[in-house]
Amino acid sequence: MKLSIGYLYPDLFNLYGDRGNVKCLEKRLQWRGIEAEIHPILCGDRINFSGLDMICWGGGPDRGQEIISGYLKAIRHDFRAYVEDGGVVLAVCAAFQLLGRTYTMREQVVEGLGILDIHTQWQPARLVGNIILQSPYFKAAIVGFENHAGRTDIGTYPPLGKVVFGHGNTEQSGYEGIVYKNLIGTYLHGPLLPKNPEVCDGLLERALKRKYGDQVSLGELPDISEHRANHYMVERCRSAEEKHTAIHFGAFGFGNSRKAGKDNKRESANTCRKQMDRTADGEKYDE
Ligand code: GLN
């Protein structure tokens, strides 16, 4: 078996180690004896979508988004057809924003691919820091790092997960990322996949099934270091939160709890701590 992975725009979009996602996809295929063919695609290159089983596109600065925007028109039609046909996509941060219709910056509006009916609005205060999600699609917590000025309104699309610690799509919504068919859009760098092997395998499995049929499944890997890295981040955020809580007598700063009123802040702190315990145990959130 073999998967061909389109690595979009490493010349412009490669923030915070996002290239590690491509390496992770490649390695986890090879460890199972499956061939991985990586196709770096540079700004302005033609893309043969029918030859790709997966697309991986990382984050980048506003300037890179302005530059690429003009080139997106040429690939919009084929990219949309690929997504609608169940093509697998991982789009991180700037790429997540550019899958949508517009990214409204301070002085101009950058036009995206419009594959997703979503909009992003620039705001001066950047949303920066470690982030933890609970996702109905995955058992383990999803951990990462976010740094974005854009706030993305995903409308009625399902999010990737609920923010347990950090900011997420808009800071207000309490949710992060987007899922559409076999596409995942997310603000999570880190890079995302090495610390979240379940997400990596979920994408690989979808691509393999699409190409070779539903009977294909991926064998287990030991993932000792990967799980250790994931749990380390959960613990680190939990202790940061506890310190914060102790200093502010329960005034709390993450996920939905940020919106909690003064009187129920202590209760929110406890609820969120419980959520994080469940996250560490790999349970799904229930809502
Ligand atoms: N430039 C975009 C923003 O600031 C995306 C940043 C990123 O990819 N980390 O919102």
Side-chain angles (χ1 to χ4, degrees), residues 74-261:
I75 61 166
R76 181 174 298 165
H77 178 266
D78 289 354
F79 204 151
R80 183 197 295 273
Y82 170 85
V83 170
E84 291 300 330
D85 188 47
V88 177
V89 178
L90 173 66
V92 177
C93 202
F96 167 30
Q97 297 171 348
L98 288 171
L99 286 166
R101 293 199 181 282
T102 52
Y103 174 27
T104 305
M105 295 181 190
R106 199 174 355 195
E107 276 157 12
Q108 61 161 319
V109 178
V110 169
E111 221 186 307
L113 286 156
I115 292 170
L116 302 171
D117 187 14
I118 62 174
H119 296 271
T120 300
Q121 173 68 50
W122 182 94
Q123 282 185 25
R126 299 190 71 81
L127 303 179
V128 186
N130 293 319
I131 174 164
I132 297 184
L133 314 179
Q134 284 180 293
S135 170
Y137 304 100
F138 302 102
K139 287 200 231 101
I142 303 179
V143 304
F145 169 77
E146 60 182 329
N147 184 352
H148 50 108
R151 274 67 166 168
T152 302
D153 178 359
I154 61 166
T156 56
Y157 289 95
L160 174 60
K162 185 172 182 178
V163 178
V164 181
F165 184 95
H167 304 285
N169 288 342
T170 65
E171 197 179 13
Q172 307 297 330
S173 73
Y175 290 96
E176 201 289 324
I178 197 166
V179 175
Y180 177 67
K181 295 196 171 194
N182 286 334
L183 176 158
I184 290 180
T186 177
Y187 273 111
L188 270 61
H189 302 277
L192 172 74
L193 298 182
K195 290 182 212 159
N196 299 287
E198 210 189 340
V199 180
C200 188
D201 285 357
L203 292 167
L204 290 175
E205 206 156 67
R206 278 167 184 251
L208 287 166
K209 284 186 194 299
R210 179 171 176 256
K211 188 167 188 181
Y212 295 104
D214 271 348
Q215 74 287 354
V216 178
S217 68
L218 284 171
E220 292 283 311
L221 293 172
D223 286 336
I224 294 165
S225 312
E226 289 80 354
H227 290 148
R228 205 173 276 159
N230 182 292
H231 289 169
Y232 174 80
M233 286 311 300
V234 172
E235 284 309 314
R236 192 171 152 164
C237 294
R238 185 210 308 267
S239 54
E241 189 51 51
E242 277 171 356
K243 228 180 266 170
H244 187 84
T245 307
I247 293 164
H248 295 280
F249 296 97
F252 213 68
F254 65 79
N256 285 340
S257 57
R258 173 168 289 136
K259 293 195 296 265

